[in-house]
Amino acid sequence: MLSTLATNYQLLVELPAAQNFCALIGLPRLVPYWPALLAFAGLFQLLRLSSNTLSSLVFGAKFDSLTPRQKYDWGVRVVSQVHAIVVVVLAIPIFFKQELINDKLFGFDNYAAWVYTLVCGYSINKALELHMLARVLDNLLAVSIADINMCICVPCDALGLTFALCM
């Protein structure tokens, strides 16, 4: 099972279109990470969708009495907390990577790049989710906030990934 997954992952990485796109946007080191970037974004969305079912099982009638909006907000908070905990735990070893200590600007570490990929996957998921929610609510202010998030937060997170993958 794992060997099949690894083989399929490698086939995605080796797609000429993906390699050309990564070169076109100036991120040639993104090539081995782009399938994971999209997968992490999808996994965070699945976590949000499944959090309501899990919360209903854990908290029972108390959770079931929440409004749909409150349940949605709860799911968003669950994903946010899981992301924060996982990233903090995974980021701690990055501070001790010798390659990054020796060359703070151009140093590269594969493990750090995977952590950055996770962070960017979450950011992409969050930005797209905010954008979709704003459109569904048909709220001009919410659309503006979502668009601001798409224009500022995602590029800032991507900048971290860019430094990790380009240098």
Side-chain angles (χ1 to χ4, degrees), residues 46-121:
L46 286 174
L47 177 60
R48 189 194 63 77
L49 293 172
S50 64
S51 69
N52 286 352
T53 303
L54 295 173
S55 297
S56 183
L57 291 173
V58 173
F59 301 110
K62 185 70 172 173
F63 180 80
D64 294 335
S65 68
L66 297 176
T67 66
R69 176 60 192 221
Q70 290 171 323
K71 288 179 182 179
Y72 174 81
D73 289 341
W74 176 263
V76 168
R77 285 178 175 78
V78 166
V79 173
S80 177
Q81 288 301 307
V82 168
H83 169 259
I85 292 167
V86 168
V87 167
V88 166
V89 169
L90 292 177
I92 291 171
I94 294 173
F95 291 108
F96 305 102
K97 297 289 184 176
Q98 200 59 42
E99 175 70 24
L100 301 176
I101 292 170
N102 293 341
D103 190 352
K104 293 182 184 353
L105 185 58
F106 296 109
F108 178 81
D109 181 74
N110 192 43
Y111 176 80
W114 278 104
V115 176
Y116 300 147
T117 303
L118 175 72
V119 170
C120 286

